[in-house]
């Protein structure tokens, strides 16, 4: 019974902030440099949802693209992205505490 | 008849307003970083609540100062027009503050465009009512407070009822009390007024403390 509950808890839909956090964490954990395709795979999103989030992250200035000498595209975190990860728990606490 | 000018009472009113406005501004700027990082709608409307609230307190003070200025200043001020204009602004800003706080807790249920248009219309109607009749202003603010409580309880997405809602409730109760103290110019006991203002400041300070805990 508890295992089923835990399974459903794990399977629940992630909210927006959680998805953003997960994507940024993947990038950071991959030495702050990852290609778009593995990032899509690790983020566990459909390609459509991934591209929506990716655009959002770029617009917010949390990630940036780097093209190396061989013209390969990499995604890295910006300072703002690192700050987001650093402050994530505080942000969640704030949202929860103020009922937002 | 306008209230009599008492330097001590006015000084207290000035100090009270400045502290509240200062705390509102600090809360607004303290939450800037987490809003910039997340662009979270709830945080956006939460911040705006304090911006509107601070401005409402400021206009409330100006309204009060205009009312008592005939016993104090010799210069001509068109009080007949200025009083209602200040109430118009106070009504608009305080209504927007209450509506923003409601929306910050239930933003997942409505689109922000719908909310913005309807709250703007409601705030304008209440502001006009406030300018025409101060007692109607008090009644509408009280009604809005009751609606806020009911809506927040009914439409919340999370089942857990946050304790912060009690603080929000007190915040608006003391706002209405502060209006009662100024708008119909009640000759209330100095000590009672002082206690009410201290409690009101304590609520703002507690909110500020909670905000600063998460935004350090």
């Amino acid at each position: 019974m508890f295992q089923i509950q835990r399974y459903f808890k794990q399977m629940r839909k992630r909210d927006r902030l959680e998805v953003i956090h997960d994507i940024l964490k993947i990038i950071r954990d991959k030495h702050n440099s990852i290609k778009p395709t593995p990032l899509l795979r690790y983020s566990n999103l459909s390609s459509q949802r991934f591209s929506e989030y990716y655009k959002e992250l770029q617009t917010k200035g949390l990630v940036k693209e780097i093209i190396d000498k061989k013209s390969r595209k990499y995604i890295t975190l910006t300072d703002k992205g690192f700050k987001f990860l650093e402050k994530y728990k505080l942000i969640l606490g704030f949202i929860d505490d103020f009922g937002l | 008849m306008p209230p009599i000018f008492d330097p001590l009472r006015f000084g207290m009113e000035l100090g009270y307003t400045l502290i509240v406005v200062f705390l509102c501004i600090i809360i607004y700027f303290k939450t800037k970083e987490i809003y910039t990082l997340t662009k979270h709608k709830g945080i956006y409307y939460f911040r705006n609540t304090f911006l509107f609230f601070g401005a409402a307190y400021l206009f409330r003070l100006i309204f009060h100062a205009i009312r008592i200025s005939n016993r104090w200043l010799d210069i001509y001020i068109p009080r007949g027009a200025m009083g209602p204009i200040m109430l118009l602004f106070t009504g608009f800003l305080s209504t927007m503050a209450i509506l923003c706080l409601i929306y910050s807790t239930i933003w997942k249920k409505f689109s922000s465009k719908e909310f913005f248009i309807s709250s703007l219309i409601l705030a304008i109607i209440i502001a006009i009512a406030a300018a025409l009749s101060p007692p109607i202003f008090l009644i509408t603010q009280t009604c809005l407070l009751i609606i806020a409580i009911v809506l927040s309880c009914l439409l919340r997405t999370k089942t857990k009822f946050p304790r912060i809602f009690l603080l929000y409730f007190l915040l608006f109760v003391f706002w209405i009390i502060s209006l009662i103290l100024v708008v119909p110019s009640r000759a209330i006991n100095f000590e009672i007024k002082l206690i009410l203002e201290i409690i009101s400041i304590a609520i703002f300070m507690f909110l500020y403390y909670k905000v600063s805990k998460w935004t350090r």
Side-chain angles (χ1 to χ4, degrees), chain B residues 136-153:
Chain B
I136 290 178
F137 180 34
L138 290 175
I139 295 164
T140 52
Q141 294 288 285
T142 314
C143 289
L144 208 59
L145 176 68
I146 296 163
I147 293 167
I149 297 161
V150 174
L151 265 181
S152 293
C153 292

Side-chain angles (χ1 to χ4, degrees), chain A residues 29-73:
Chain A
D29 293 349
K30 294 286 168 189
H31 307 288
N32 194 27
S33 176
I34 188 168
K35 286 182 185 170
T37 315
L39 182 60
L40 162 68
R41 201 170 60 239
Y42 291 129
S43 63
N44 213 9
L45 295 165
S46 67
S47 53
Q48 196 196 332
R49 278 194 76 205
F50 175 77
S51 61
E52 282 169 18
Y53 275 106
Y54 185 58
K55 266 182 202 163
E56 191 183 336
L57 292 176
Q58 274 189 315
T59 321
K60 284 179 179 170
L62 295 168
V63 296
K64 65 181 176 193
E65 284 177 1
I66 290 173
I67 295 164
D68 70 1
K69 287 170 191 170
K70 292 176 185 171
S71 301
R72 285 178 303 200
K73 194 162 82 176

Side-chain angles (χ1 to χ4, degrees), chain B residues 166-183:
Chain B
L166 179 69
L167 214 60
Y168 291 160
F169 172 72
L170 289 174
L171 195 74
F172 289 115
V173 166
F174 277 91
W175 163 248
I176 293 165
I177 291 171
S178 77
L179 283 179
I180 295 169
L181 295 180
V182 163
V183 174

Side-chain angles (χ1 to χ4, degrees), chain B residues 6-135:
Chain B
D6 177 353
L8 187 65
R9 273 179 182 253
F10 185 70
M12 192 174 86
E13 198 59 52
L14 183 71
Y16 165 64
T17 307
L18 290 180
I19 292 169
V20 168
V21 171
F22 179 68
L23 288 170
C24 284
I25 291 170
I26 292 187
I27 291 172
Y28 181 77
F29 283 107
K30 272 251 174 197
T31 49
K32 191 185 172 198
E33 192 188 20
I34 55 167
Y35 172 66
T36 318
L37 286 173
T38 58
K39 302 280 178 207
H40 189 276
K41 270 188 190 172
I43 298 173
Y44 174 76
Y45 286 99
F46 177 83
R47 296 181 75 214
N48 281 349
T49 300
F50 289 93
L51 193 66
F52 285 125
F53 224 171
Y57 266 95
L58 212 57
F59 276 99
R60 173 189 159 278
L61 178 75
I62 299 169
F63 170 76
H64 181 58
I66 287 169
R67 276 173 70 94
I68 59 171
S69 62
N70 61 335
R71 309 278 177 118
W72 170 35
L73 291 170
D74 255 351
I75 55 165
Y76 172 73
I77 299 171
R79 289 179 190 85
M82 289 292 280
I85 289 170
M86 289 305 131
L87 271 186
L88 186 91
F89 283 114
T90 312
F92 178 79
L93 294 163
S94 66
T95 308
M96 285 304 284
I98 297 174
L99 292 173
C100 278
L101 197 59
I102 298 172
Y103 192 67
S104 74
T105 61
I106 55 167
W107 63 274
K108 285 176 184 167
K109 297 272 177 182
F110 303 102
S111 84
S112 55
K113 200 181 168 187
E114 275 171 22
F115 164 78
F116 185 73
I117 295 165
S118 47
S119 60
L120 210 60
I121 294 166
L122 189 64
I124 290 168
I125 293 168
I126 291 177
I128 294 167
L132 296 172
S133 162

Side-chain angles (χ1 to χ4, degrees), chain A residues 16 60 83 87 97-99, chain B residues 33 38 156 168 214 216:
Chain A
R16 224 187 96 260
K60 284 179 179 170
K83 200 148 205 174
K87 299 241 166 180
D97 207 11
F98 287 95
Chain B
E33 192 188 20
T38 58
R156 273 193 56 72
Y168 291 160
W214 296 113
R216 59 181 184 264

